[in-house]
Amino acid sequence: MKEKLKQLRKRCLRLSYICQDGNLQSAFSCMEIIWCLYDGVMNWSPEQALDKNRDYFIVSKGQATLALYAVLIEKGMFSETDFDGMGSFQSRYCIQTDPTKFPEGGIENAAGSLGHGLPIAAGLAMAAKIKKRPSMVYVLAGDGEFCEGTMWEACLFAAGKKLDNLCVIIDDNHSVEAMIDMGDMRRKLESFGFDVFEAEGHQEEKLKEVFLNFAANGRPKAVIADTIRGYGSRTLTKEEIWFHKAPNAQELSMLCREVDEF
Amino acid sequence: MRRAFLNRVDRMIREEEDTVFFTVDIGMWTIRDILSVYPERAMNVGIYEDGMFGIAAGLAAGGMVPTIFGIQPYLIERTLEQIKLDFAYQRLGVNVVGTGAAVDYPKYGYSHYCAEDAGILKMIPEAELITPGTAKEFLRLYDQAYRDGRPSFFRVSDHPNKNHDIEVEFGKASIVQKGAKATVIAVSVLLDDVLEACEEEDVTVLYYTTLAPFDRDTLREVCGNGKMLVCEPHFSGVLDYDILQAMEGRNVQIRHVGFPREIFRNYGSYEDKLRHYHVNQEKIREELQQLLE
């Protein structure tokens, strides 16, 4: 794993330690996806964070916010020290994001409850089409999140309105398998009218190749990224309790060591 | 009221390029021209209120002014989390116009009744609830609120007031009669009945068409003795919290005319329901007499 991706994961661990909450397995599974989008795909920078022509990144799977914060710090949107009081009563940083606390931009939507991000992303993509703006809207969803009916309602709309400026990335970390057999997601999404791509979700370069080669053909895009929960730490991949658990000081150094050695 | 709204939508879509209109498969005949001429901004979008609300929130975040038209229970009850998270808590300006107020679909049963709407929306901070009594009032209120950057819910009734049209202001109660012995609060389509019942009475009549935000100042100012009769065309008692806040520190005596909080398992006509649930002039007179005793 690249040094940068290790640093980002260790930052997630520290944020979770400060906040004493979080979904580290889920944040680790989408780390490459978010980093790749912000580092080499999206038309976005802290200086453009309110630019009407920017690309958007919407977090639909709310468990990914730790990973988003880690990336936004890396890109200079926020500083590491901003997060010293993360999760405290007056902090604007916590597991849920609240866009009303970020007038300077950087946080686009209230991520927390599942099934909300994709419809909002579809609306943003539609607004960009109407206003003839070049914005591309990327939205990160979970495989389990696709149990929510609103996800499919938004797919219906996106395909019907030919939103080829919308890209939903499914962090397929195999969460849904514990709930229900979702069947063939590729076929499902294709039947809804999406261009569907499958990629190894921890291979940054391969993801980038997919993101940079979309056709402007009137079809929304879906990228099914095959990922592993907790990828980057042996303990997080093995122990289910880390779905929702924050590390203590000892665990923090143990997990950071694991990331270094991964 | 419905036709006035749809004509307003027609003009809005033609003249205002940042507006979008979604209908949930109703009212298409009146707006058939804009549906075909402006398909990217005026659309019969399909029957999926939850997702549509999220999409509208995204449109608002992208700088558009969306308005959604549908049937009240599906707009308010099916979509509660979207109203809370996507609209109100993210502070996004979306307009929702609902037909089927309370029991306006009297033969469709409780799947289509929605006397719960005011109570539900009043529990969502910063959501606006606007309940005009006539088509003219609707147009005034819509024009004042539809670009205010807040989620605005308009309830369109098929049984408007016929004898009174008030120059209402968004967020303000109108004093339509002055008196000394009590204050009668008339909400939306109950104004005609209230004014007839109170014609000979020495009471103040306050007319409310904006229920959220509720104009507490005017109530506090005019209701000197704390005696109140509240007439609401939805579940009774929804305004009590605001009334008590307005009257804090004073003794109050409140009586109610409105729909009781129970499941309506009956059918029949709109008039049958008003009679059965005592949402009528006779009941207003009776309650007022008891208040004044």
Side-chain angles (χ1 to χ4, degrees):
Chain A
M1 190 193 296
K2 278 189 187 167
E3 190 55 35
K4 180 70 73 186
L5 274 311
K6 289 186 178 182
Q7 284 172 15
L8 291 169
R9 283 186 166 84
K10 286 190 284 183
R11 185 175 287 145
C12 282
L13 290 169
R14 282 194 298 275
L15 294 179
S16 177
Y17 171 68
I18 294 169
C19 188
Q20 277 303 294
D21 213 327
N23 302 88
L24 285 164
Q25 286 184 324
S26 193
F28 274 31
S29 73
C30 60
M31 203 71 250
E32 279 78 13
I33 298 169
I34 303 180
W35 174 245
C36 158
L37 285 169
Y38 275 90
D39 194 50
V41 175
M42 284 167 56
N43 175 31
W44 187 94
S45 67
E47 296 71 37
Q48 296 169 278
L50 296 176
D51 186 325
K52 288 175 178 169
N53 293 323
R54 72 186 180 277
D55 287 347
Y56 291 81
F57 178 71
I58 298 292
V59 183
S60 200
K61 57 166 264 182
Q63 301 95 336
T65 52
L66 284 175
L68 176 64
Y69 288 139
V71 168
L72 290 175
I73 292 169
E74 193 62 27
K75 298 306 289 183
M77 186 73 218
F78 307 122
S79 80
E80 195 104 44
T81 52
D82 291 344
F83 289 78
D84 286 349
M86 181 177 174
S88 60
F89 191 71
Q90 290 292 356
S91 175
R92 64 176 188 161
Y93 305 100
C94 203
I95 301 304
Q96 185 207 269
T97 51
D98 179 355
T100 67
K101 293 183 174 177
F102 295 87
E104 80 277 39
I107 299 296
E108 306 281 13
N109 69 305
S113 178
L114 299 178
H116 290 259
L118 181 53
I120 287 173
L124 277 167
M126 183 77 186
K129 286 275 182 195
I130 294 169
K131 289 183 176 271
K132 300 194 178 2
R133 291 176 182 156
S135 303
M136 186 81 193
V137 183
Y138 299 90
V139 49
L140 179 68
D143 58 326
E145 189 183 11
F146 265 86
C147 294
E148 296 279 5
T150 48
M151 302 299 277
W152 298 102
E153 293 174 8
C155 286
L156 197 65
F157 179 86
K161 298 300 169 189
K162 304 189 186 327
L163 302 180
D164 56 8
N165 57 343
L166 175 72
C167 171
V168 56
I169 304 110
I170 300 164
D171 175 7
D172 186 7
N173 61 16
H174 307 277
S175 296
V176 79
E177 290 159 18
M179 309 173 215
I180 198 164
D181 179 3
M182 280 291 263
D184 188 334
M185 274 299 280
R186 182 185 186 108
R187 281 186 58 205
K188 282 186 167 68
L189 288 162
E190 278 175 347
S191 75
F192 269 71
F194 278 64
D195 280 343
V196 184
F197 306 85
E198 290 175 78
E200 290 176 52
H202 298 300
Q203 299 294 319
E204 205 191 332
E205 293 307 320
K206 289 186 179 168
L207 284 167
K208 197 173 285 183
E209 202 181 312
V210 171
F211 290 134
L212 293 175
N213 286 291
F214 289 148
N217 57 1
R219 292 165 66 88
K221 317 303 174 195
V223 177
I224 303 173
D226 188 25
T227 61
I228 296 166
R229 277 210 270 182
Y231 184 84
S233 147
R234 195 190 57 80
T235 299
L236 292 189
T237 55
K238 302 273 183 230
E239 295 179 12
E240 276 304 307
I241 193 170
W242 286 95
F243 172 70
H244 182 197
K245 172 176 159 62
N248 59 29
Q250 202 181 353
E251 288 165 331
L252 174 64
S253 40
M254 181 267 288
L255 291 170
C256 283
R257 202 167 47 246
E258 284 191 8
V259 170
D260 280 331
E261 290 164 359
F262 198 81
Chain B
M1 221 184 283
R2 228 192 291 199
R3 183 166 289 269
F5 162 61
L6 291 169
N7 288 335
R8 178 69 184 88
V9 165
D10 184 284
R11 187 156 56 85
M12 180 179 80
I13 292 295
R14 287 176 198 278
E15 295 174 1
E16 302 169 48
E17 287 182 358
D18 62 347
T19 58
V20 177
F21 177 68
F22 288 166
T23 171
V24 191
D25 203 35
I26 56 170
M28 280 82 70
W29 179 249
T30 313
I31 53 162
R32 60 193 180 282
D33 288 349
I34 57 164
L35 290 175
S36 65
V37 179
Y38 303 94
E40 77 287 5
R41 291 193 295 113
M43 56 198 98
N44 179 9
V45 72
I47 305 165
Y48 50 97
E49 288 84 354
D50 295 342
M52 183 192 309
F53 273 38
I55 291 162
L59 281 160
M64 305 299 293
V65 180
T67 297
I68 298 170
F69 182 44
I71 297 176
Q72 196 74 336
Y74 318 125
L75 294 179
I76 307 300
E77 293 168 338
R78 180 174 292 175
T79 55
L80 184 56
E81 202 198 18
Q82 276 73 24
I83 294 172
K84 176 189 155 189
L85 290 181
D86 297 354
F87 295 174
Y89 286 37
Q90 293 190 93
R91 291 218 179 98
L92 291 171
V94 177
N95 303 298
V96 179
V97 181
T99 182
V103 290
D104 272 11
Y105 288 106
K107 290 193 168 59
Y108 280 64
Y110 51 63
S111 62
H112 281 62
Y113 303 159
C114 199
E116 300 91 342
D117 61 354
I120 291 168
L121 287 170
K122 292 282 293 172
M123 288 304 288
I124 305 292
E126 299 189 21
E128 297 170 347
L129 173 57
I130 299 146
T131 61
T134 67
K136 206 171 132 198
E137 291 170 8
F138 171 85
L139 292 173
R140 278 180 70 88
L141 294 165
Y142 186 80
D143 284 349
Q144 288 171 24
Y146 81 115
R147 280 183 178 275
D148 68 3
R150 300 288 165 116
S152 306
F153 292 83
F154 299 85
R155 189 173 57 199
V156 169
S157 171
D158 290 340
H159 302 275
N161 296 312
K162 293 193 175 95
N163 304 326
H164 300 278
D165 231 326
I166 307 296
E167 299 279 299
V168 291
E169 296 293 329
F170 170 76
K172 296 290 289 178
S174 306
I175 304 168
V176 288
Q177 179 176 314
K178 283 191 173 174
K181 292 184 177 166
T183 300
V184 181
I185 290 178
V187 174
S188 183
V189 295
L190 293 183
L191 182 66
D192 274 0
D193 283 333
V194 166
L195 283 177
E196 278 190 53
C198 297
E199 207 173 14
E200 307 289 321
E201 304 291 347
D202 181 17
V203 296
T204 293
V205 175
L206 266 189
Y207 180 43
Y208 279 85
T209 47
T210 306
L211 303 189
F214 186 84
D215 178 4
R216 295 177 185 175
D217 293 344
T218 304
L219 178 62
R220 187 171 175 82
E221 200 180 301
V222 304
C223 186
N225 65 2
K227 284 190 168 191
M228 257 171 277
L229 171 62
V230 185
C231 305
E232 305 161 276
H234 44 252
F235 274 171
S236 193
V238 164
L239 300 178
D240 288 5
Y241 172 75
D242 284 290
I243 291 168
L244 292 173
Q245 290 288 310
M247 302 297 288
E248 201 171 341
R250 298 190 201 169
N251 288 328
V252 291
Q253 185 185 349
I254 310 177
R255 297 192 75 87
H256 298 93
V257 174
F259 288 103
R261 295 191 191 201
E262 60 185 65
I263 301 167
F264 302 171
R265 296 190 187 275
N266 44 48
Y267 305 107
S269 69
Y270 179 74
E271 290 72 23
D272 287 339
K273 287 195 174 49
L274 297 187
R275 198 162 40 243
H276 179 79
Y277 292 115
H278 310 290
V279 185
N280 53 23
Q281 213 180 115
E282 189 186 342
K283 181 69 172 171
I284 296 168
R285 287 181 199 279
E286 186 186 314
E287 290 293 327
L288 189 57
Q289 288 318 310
Q290 296 212 24
L291 185 69
L292 295 176
E293 269 174 14

